[in-house]
């Protein structure tokens, strides 16, 4: 198990920052995570001692920098059990990775009438790129619906997948916490010859990830949600797919040669990394992966399962009918993301009142407006936990909620 | 709890609990425009009646009603807005709007001569919002929607 | 004038890093620049005390982070004299900015047979995106050639621009150092109704930039070349143009609303910033801009002009016919980038020998292969200076070259 | 200057100054493949004669010539390569190639049983290159081009 006191000491903002003389109770990690000391230090030290261009210059300093950057690829490959580090492409965030898939793979392989299947609990990042493609070339989008407890309704999966070319789905909902059966969905997609695209933004930071066990085709995720820096995201893909895809952005580094007449592309991963990449960020990400590996992702998951159980029980016991928590109750099929409605209060006001005791949660549609429609709400309040949260944080959330009605007197 | 009290002044909570001019107007003759806050999904509908629209800035806002849902800030701001504009010249409504947006710290507001003297009345109570960038969008949601409604009412062809 | 001793002390890598017990003579800033202490510190401090999501959550910490991020936009707008900070879009690098232009503006406004005019000294980042568009929809690319001394040959400009829809050019060549007449080119473009797109990657870090005086339409540049962090680039554009352009990448933050049926877009700049942006990077960039403002860009340019004169004279005097330096000799029309051929040695070998005395230069085609063709070479050795370089660095370069033939005995 | 001496061993400079097997072969009967290094623009042409191509791994490399330009590392590596492959079985050439690439620290080289015993001879001198990631690409340029040439010579239909 994790020792949260020890873990939290590694996060300067959580250990030292105060607002109104009190510590910050950070419950917004589904949005973005805090950064441990060693990630900050790795970036600092790299900029102080080793910063140089990568892949372009041949002096020793540039060699050191190139090795450090490529080290990030290896670390990420290890974390998700990718067969080869060359299959890891660095993007600016997960959204770029998903756009890359929709644009580079989609433009090549999809035409009018082709079917892409999504789920009703996708993040906008896994919806809008496909809708842009739909605008451009008239593909059809079908949606996997939800059961009452916020799981995917797979009863008509065969029907939805019939004739589909792509199944793109989240491995964990950023609103409901739901963990869909990733392996099953990948194999269902393959059974009809469809591509299996996984949005693993919320999954990789919190679980043991094995892209080979999933047998996924393309997997997108973000550094900033897994203790790493902003400015870097990842697309992992099967080499033969990446190889066959045209480039996405054009420019330096992604070319084999350029003449006045045209260009040819470099091998993967360079083919998808136009321009100067996030060099310092890859170094910070390496430190983040090493941090996660030392804690052990199985331990992280175990800790969060226990905390999720505690949170669901605490909130339901203390607030009964005054609170509606969306998503499954079974912690085996959900992660530590709690979206809820509280009395008649608007989520913005709930979040504002919680902020008064430094409890940081998100209020809004969480970039999942179609899901809000399915839930029949305009927005929710969302608390989300990570490896540095403990029961005291959940208690602080509950205490904050306790005071909320006093103010509004509704 | 000083920050919170500064934000949720009693007058704001009063407008939130008992919103003024809630409802609908028949369209036509009224103009209806929907607005929403892309960050949180809040939605607002402004129903606007303008008399003698052809007079431009001298036309008169004779009635306004508010529909939709939102948080205490967007709802109270819209409620106070209705009080501040009913019966006013369009030119004066626009001045209040500019003054209010500049109170909210919105940049690129083209303040004009005379705007200084505009009295925001109850709306002054919303100044605590400035400290919360995300909530500023709530406070101005009604006003941005009203702007579109005014444009549409004065130039329905557009 | 700049006091280089004082300036260099602010750059930890230059002041403290040693290889073989000697300092690093960094002459590869055309590639990427070193980072001053205050940029590193700003990023560190932000991650330690203020890191949070931006634009999404309403608690105070998120408000602080949002203000810090938006502060980056204001700083950049100031630096280039943009009319409004909202016209500054953050991308991952300059390459993404140029792809955005070619794809979002180009796909909307260009069709088969339309003409895009480039120059023969463009970086691949301002060539390949247009060639991709040419592949996709058959636009025609025309090239402005060069004079013998490496300036643009504008003698047939009217002819080249005849019927053109876009003129896209670099404000400073990353190979020759040439500074084309930006204002003249923008007005020539506008005279035929063409869009004026400026690749200002090499210009903004070294000169006083005034996008309004240029009357440019869209301008791309990169943080990492101007003392700022990696992972963030900029596109500035006239608001009415940006307003009229469709989005580029889809996802969170760039939407107004999303339904199962489709989406609408947020106003500029959010429209072009899908997903979690480079938050920490924007904070570092703010510090970089403040650093440049304190030094004064006019002083930076003056320092580099003097250093350029010194470099050209030193190299020519010491090596005579053994060295060929490409580009103009007049420092009024060139910056501190020196590409050269040295005796019969291959640039890789020159760079390797220089590395032995820690002189860091780049060898290769510098992401400008068409220009190499025009110059009639396969590659060059390139030394490039910045605000932290001085005459001693140039002397070190010359000393290093002195030893080069000994080894190869050619 | 220890690092540099380690890189530019005398044998390397010798192959650079006096490259072996430079020139061209008639195509056909020879196979010609061009390779280049995307990072620096260096180009190389490999002309390859294989006898009894239908024998696959048992076919014999009877002649090889090198054209193009490059730095001391790419040129000397290609020159040494020609010496290492002339007269050898295709299967043995592939083994040398694997062994050399693994010496260069290239990952994903599928070393096979027996590769251990391959003697790289002069090519061992290139091991100093490993410390310079960008130069590794120079050292293997000729070898990658040879690989393509072998594939083409053995299966011209492809
Ligand atoms: C002139 C020019 N344009 C574009 C670029 C591309 O910039 P980035 O690598 O930041 O995308 C560079 C730098 O490599 C450059 O020098
Ligand atoms: C499920 C999911 N997908 C995609 C994203 C987008 O990630 P990013 O903002 O890093 O592009 C997020 C996070 O915002 C997410 O939670």
């Amino acid at each position: 198990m994790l020792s949260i006191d020890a873990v939290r000491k590694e996060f300067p903002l959580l250990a030292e920052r105060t607002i109104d003389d009190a510590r910050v109770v950070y419950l917004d990690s589904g949005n973005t995570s805090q950064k441990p000391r060693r990630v900050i230090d790795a970036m600092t030290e790299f900029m102080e001692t080793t910063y140089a261009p990568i892949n372009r210059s041949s002096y020793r300093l540039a060699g050191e920098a190139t090795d450090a950057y490529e080290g990030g690829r290896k670390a990420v490959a290890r974390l998700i059990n990718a067969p080869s580090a060359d299959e890891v492409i660095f993007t600016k965030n997960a959204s770029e990775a998903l756009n890359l898939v929709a644009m580079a793979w989609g433009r090549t392989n999809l035409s009018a009438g082709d079917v892409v299947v999504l789920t009703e609990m996708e993040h906008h990042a896994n919806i809008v790129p496909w809708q842009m493609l739909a605008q451009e070339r008239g593909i059809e989008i079908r949606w996997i619906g939800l059961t009452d407890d916020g799981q995917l309704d797979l009863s008509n999966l065969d029907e939805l997948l019939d004739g589909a070319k792509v199944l793109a789905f989240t491995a964990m909902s950023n609103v409901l916490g739901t963990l869909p059966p990733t392996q099953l969905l990948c194999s269902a997609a393959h059974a009809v010859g469809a591509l299996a695209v996984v949005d693993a933004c919320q999954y990789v930071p919190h679980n043991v990830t094995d892209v080979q066990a999933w047998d996924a085709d393309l997997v997108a995720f973000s550094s900033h949600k897994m203790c790493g820096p902003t400015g870097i995201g990842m697309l992992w893909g099967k080499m033969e797919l990446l190889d066959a895809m045209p480039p996405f952005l054009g420019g330096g580094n992604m070319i084999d040669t350029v003449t006045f007449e045209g260009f040819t592309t470099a091998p993967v991963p360079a083919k998808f990394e136009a321009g100067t990449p996030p060099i310092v960020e890859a170094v910070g990400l390496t430190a983040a992966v090493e941090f996660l590996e030392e804690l052990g992702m199985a331990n992280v998951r175990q800790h969060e399962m226990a905390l999720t159980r505690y949170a669901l029980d605490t909130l339901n016991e203390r607030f009964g009918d005054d609170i509606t928590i969306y998503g499954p109750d079974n912690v085996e099929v959900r992660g530590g993301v709690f979206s809820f409605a509280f009395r008649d209060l608007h989520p913005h006001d709930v979040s504002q009142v919680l902020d008064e005791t430094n409890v940081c949660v998100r209020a809004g549609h969480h970039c999942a407006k179609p899901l809000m429609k399915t839930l029949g709400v305009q927005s929710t309040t969302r608390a989300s936990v990570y490896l540095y949260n403990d029961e005291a944080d959940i208690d602080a959330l509950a205490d904050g909620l306790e005071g909320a009605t006093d103010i509004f007197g509704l | 709890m000083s920050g919170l009290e500064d934000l949720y002044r009693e007058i704001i909570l009063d407008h939130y609990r008992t919103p003024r001019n809630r409802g609908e107007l028949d369209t036509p003759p009224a103009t209806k425009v929907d607005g929403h806050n892309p960050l949180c999904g809040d939605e607002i509908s402004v129903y606007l009646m303008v008399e003698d629209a052809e007079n431009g800035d001298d036309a008169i806002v004779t009635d306004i009603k508010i529909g939709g849902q939102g948080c205490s800030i967007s709802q109270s701001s819209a409620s106070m807005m209705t009080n501040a504009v009913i019966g006013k010249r369009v030119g004066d409504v626009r001045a209040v709007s500019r003054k209010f947006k500049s109170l909210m710290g919105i940049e690129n507001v083209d303040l004009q001569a005379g705007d200084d003297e505009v009295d925001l009345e109850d709306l002054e109570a919303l100044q605590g919002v400035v400290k919360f960038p995300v909530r500023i969008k709530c406070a101005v949601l009604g006003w941005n929607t009203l702007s579109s409604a005014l444009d549409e009412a004065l130039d329905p062809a557009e």
Side-chain angles (χ1 to χ4, degrees), chain A, chain B:
Chain A
M1 286 298 295
L2 305 183
S3 153
I4 297 307
D5 282 351
V7 168
R8 200 179 281 161
K9 280 209 190 77
E10 305 214 30
F11 289 79
L13 190 143
L14 301 177
E16 289 154 35
R17 172 76 201 261
T18 56
I19 300 179
D20 298 343
D21 295 324
R23 75 177 182 96
V24 172
V25 179
Y26 190 74
L27 291 171
D28 200 14
S29 297
N31 210 327
T32 195
S33 75
Q34 293 300 331
K35 316 304 171 204
R37 158 81 30 230
R38 75 169 82 182
V39 168
I40 303 172
D41 286 352
M43 295 169 75
T44 302
E45 198 193 311
F46 182 77
M47 286 192 274
E48 286 175 356
T49 66
T50 321
Y51 184 74
I54 62 135
N55 272 345
R56 297 175 166 187
S57 296
S58 55
Y59 46 86
R60 285 164 293 178
L61 193 65
E64 287 178 35
T66 303
D67 283 346
Y69 177 73
E70 293 298 327
R73 226 185 281 287
K74 289 178 196 162
V76 170
R78 242 175 17 237
L79 186 71
I80 62 170
N81 194 31
S84 157
D86 285 344
E87 294 171 338
V88 175
I89 293 157
F90 285 131
T91 58
K92 68 174 178 177
N93 53 24
S95 302
E96 186 195 343
L98 290 164
N99 277 272
L100 194 168
V101 170
M103 295 305 150
W105 191 92
R107 281 221 183 90
T108 315
N109 294 286
L110 299 178
S111 44
D114 279 344
V115 172
V116 171
V117 179
L118 306 177
T119 86
E120 292 189 358
M121 63 186 183
E122 293 314 306
H123 186 280
H124 293 162
N126 197 26
I127 298 176
V128 178
W130 302 109
Q131 290 183 332
M132 289 170 75
L133 204 59
Q135 273 180 10
E136 191 182 304
R137 50 181 61 194
I139 59 168
E140 178 193 344
I141 296 176
R142 291 186 196 149
W143 304 86
I144 300 178
L146 302 189
T147 61
D148 284 344
D149 72 336
Q151 301 203 56
L152 291 184
D153 175 1
L154 301 178
S155 59
N156 61 341
L157 183 64
D158 289 351
E159 211 173 298
L160 288 169
L161 279 179
D162 185 33
K165 290 262 173 81
V166 179
L167 169 60
F169 64 96
T170 184
M172 170 168 151
S173 162
N174 68 317
V175 176
L176 305 173
T178 314
L179 296 161
T182 306
Q183 209 168 333
L184 181 152
L185 290 168
C186 289
S187 85
H190 292 156
V192 299
L195 190 76
V197 179
V198 183
D199 175 355
C201 274
Q202 298 286 343
Y203 191 93
V204 174
H206 304 283
N207 297 276
V208 177
T209 304
D210 185 337
V211 295
Q212 296 188 69
W214 284 351
D215 195 20
D217 294 314
L218 295 158
V219 178
F221 50 112
S222 257
S223 154
H224 69 91
K225 291 190 204 277
M226 49 188 263
C227 299
T230 51
I232 185 165
M234 283 74 74
L235 176 68
W236 169 82
K238 287 183 183 161
M239 184 51 85
E240 62 192 75
L241 274 167
L242 297 173
D243 245 353
M245 276 157 65
F248 178 47
L249 304 181
N253 195 52
M254 54 69 72
I255 58 103
D256 179 43
T257 191
V258 180
T259 64
F260 288 111
E261 289 70 40
F263 70 97
T264 54
T265 55
V268 176
K271 177 165 72 171
F272 297 108
E273 295 184 359
T276 302
I279 304 174
V280 180
E281 290 76 4
V283 172
L285 175 58
T286 305
V289 169
E290 285 166 3
F291 175 71
L292 294 175
E293 287 174 331
E294 277 175 33
L295 293 180
M297 291 311 301
N299 294 328
V300 170
R301 170 68 180 141
Q302 213 185 341
H303 167 71
E304 292 184 22
M305 274 172 84
L307 196 54
T308 299
R309 188 68 271 152
Y310 181 80
L312 294 173
D313 291 346
T314 302
L315 294 172
N316 282 321
E317 276 161 28
R318 283 180 66 170
F319 302 107
D321 288 348
D322 280 350
I323 199 165
T324 306
I325 305 177
Y326 302 100
D329 183 67
N330 176 0
V331 298
E332 298 284 338
V333 296
R334 73 169 293 153
V337 168
F338 316 103
S339 283
F340 57 89
F342 187 69
R343 294 176 182 148
D344 280 339
L345 292 179
H346 188 282
H348 262 175
D349 292 317
V350 173
S351 142
Q352 196 84 54
V353 171
L354 291 174
D355 183 37
E356 208 49 26
T357 49
N358 292 348
V359 176
C360 303
V361 300
R362 182 171 172 185
H365 52 61
H366 318 295
C367 300
K369 284 195 92 174
L371 174 57
M372 295 295 117
K373 176 120 197 233
T374 300
L375 297 178
V377 298
Q378 215 155 37
S379 57
T380 71
T381 306
R382 182 189 74 179
S384 49
V385 302
Y386 201 16
L387 44 81
Y388 35 64
N389 293 115
D390 61 7
E391 300 186 353
D393 295 334
I394 303 298
D395 292 340
L397 167 66
D399 293 344
L401 288 173
E402 201 80 62
T405 37
D406 305 349
I407 297 182
F408 296 93
L410 290 176
Chain B
M1 308 264 273
S2 69
L4 208 55
E5 275 160 21
D6 208 39
L7 181 64
Y8 293 128
R9 304 261 178 89
E10 192 42 44
I11 178 92
I12 293 178
L13 294 177
D14 178 58
H15 276 270
Y16 179 42
R17 290 188 210 111
T18 10
R20 322 296 198 263
N21 298 300
R22 252 200 100 74
E24 305 188 358
L25 296 175
D26 283 343
T27 54
T31 304
K32 180 194 176 205
V33 170
D34 296 328
H36 60 269
N37 182 336
L39 297 180
C40 61
D42 280 359
E43 278 165 20
I44 199 169
S45 301
V46 170
Y47 298 83
L48 184 73
M49 271 295 291
V50 172
E51 209 174 75
D52 304 329
E54 63 284 5
N55 292 349
D57 273 1
D58 287 326
I60 302 292
V61 171
T62 53
D63 204 0
I64 181 168
K65 294 259 186 267
I66 302 291
Q69 308 174 29
C71 65
S72 57
I73 300 299
S74 69
Q75 293 292 296
S76 63
S77 177
S79 169
M80 294 178 192
M81 175 179 82
T82 60
N83 278 355
V85 307
I86 282 189
K88 285 235 172 78
R89 283 178 62 248
V90 166
D92 294 338
V93 169
R94 291 213 152 114
V96 181
S97 176
R98 286 193 297 271
K99 182 84 184 282
F100 179 69
K101 284 192 189 168
S102 94
L103 178 78
M104 290 295 104
I106 307 261
E107 282 160 35
N108 302 331
V109 178
D110 259 336
L111 279 183
Q112 294 179 15
D115 285 0
D116 259 9
E117 285 122 60
V118 170
D119 183 358
L120 289 174
E121 302 172 35
D122 287 2
L123 287 161
E124 292 277 4
L126 282 163
Q127 72 185 18
V129 172
V130 176
K131 276 190 274 168
F132 304 92
V134 169
R135 305 299 301 268
I136 294 172
K137 304 228 161 74
C138 309
V140 300
L141 175 59
W143 293 89
N144 287 336
T145 314
L146 173 62
S147 273
S148 308
L150 282 172
D151 292 347
E152 209 169 301
L154 296 197
D155 188 1
E158 239 198 357

